[in-house]
Amino acid sequence: QVSGGEDEIQQLQKALLDYLDKNTETDASLVFSRKFYIAQWFRDTTMETEKAIKSQKDEDSSEGTHHAKDVETTGQIMHRAESRKKFLRSIIKTAPSQFSTL
């Protein structure tokens, strides 16, 4: 269940990362898995943002006009992407000590 104001994707990501973090003592490969997921999600966020902005630019050029609504939507896309990246960076900063030894 999603709490108010938080991104559902971020909550799911945090739950998975917490699970992996708690079980790294029993399986060392989970440390790699945790790092992989963080990097993949960061990359996915970047790719999704680029796709969304490109599709908006394509729509603008096909219409021949530029709407203020589209600019606002681009701003919202960028804000959401930065929010997700900031979340992932905070996870990296609070990563377990095992990360530094590998």
Side-chain angles (χ1 to χ4, degrees):
Q1 196 169 21
V2 178
S3 64
E6 284 197 35
D7 189 351
E8 183 176 337
I9 292 172
Q10 284 181 4
Q11 286 187 338
L12 293 172
Q13 289 172 341
K14 180 143 178 51
L16 178 61
L17 293 173
D18 288 346
Y19 171 80
L20 292 172
D21 188 34
K22 288 178 184 174
N23 292 298
T24 55
E25 293 176 10
T26 58
D27 187 359
S29 67
L30 294 180
V31 174
F32 173 80
S33 298
R34 191 173 191 273
K35 289 168 59 175
F36 173 81
Y37 278 122
I38 292 170
Q40 187 65 39
W41 291 333
F42 197 90
R43 180 186 168 274
D44 289 348
T45 299
T46 302
M47 297 299 286
E48 288 172 11
T49 303
E50 289 173 358
K51 277 185 178 179
I53 291 173
K54 185 177 187 275
S55 70
Q56 284 186 344
K57 287 181 180 179
D58 291 344
E59 288 174 9
D60 286 347
S61 63
S62 67
E63 292 176 9
T65 60
H66 186 68
H67 300 291
K69 180 182 172 185
D70 293 335
V71 173
E72 182 180 54
T73 305
T74 302
Q76 290 171 345
I77 291 168
M78 294 299 292
H79 179 70
R80 185 175 57 245
E82 285 305 312
S83 171
R84 288 182 180 168
K85 287 180 179 183
K86 183 178 180 181
F87 164 74
L88 293 171
R89 283 188 203 108
S90 72
I91 293 293
I92 292 169
K93 288 179 183 174
T94 60
S97 61
Q98 294 116 337
F99 279 25
S100 61
T101 61
L102 293 178

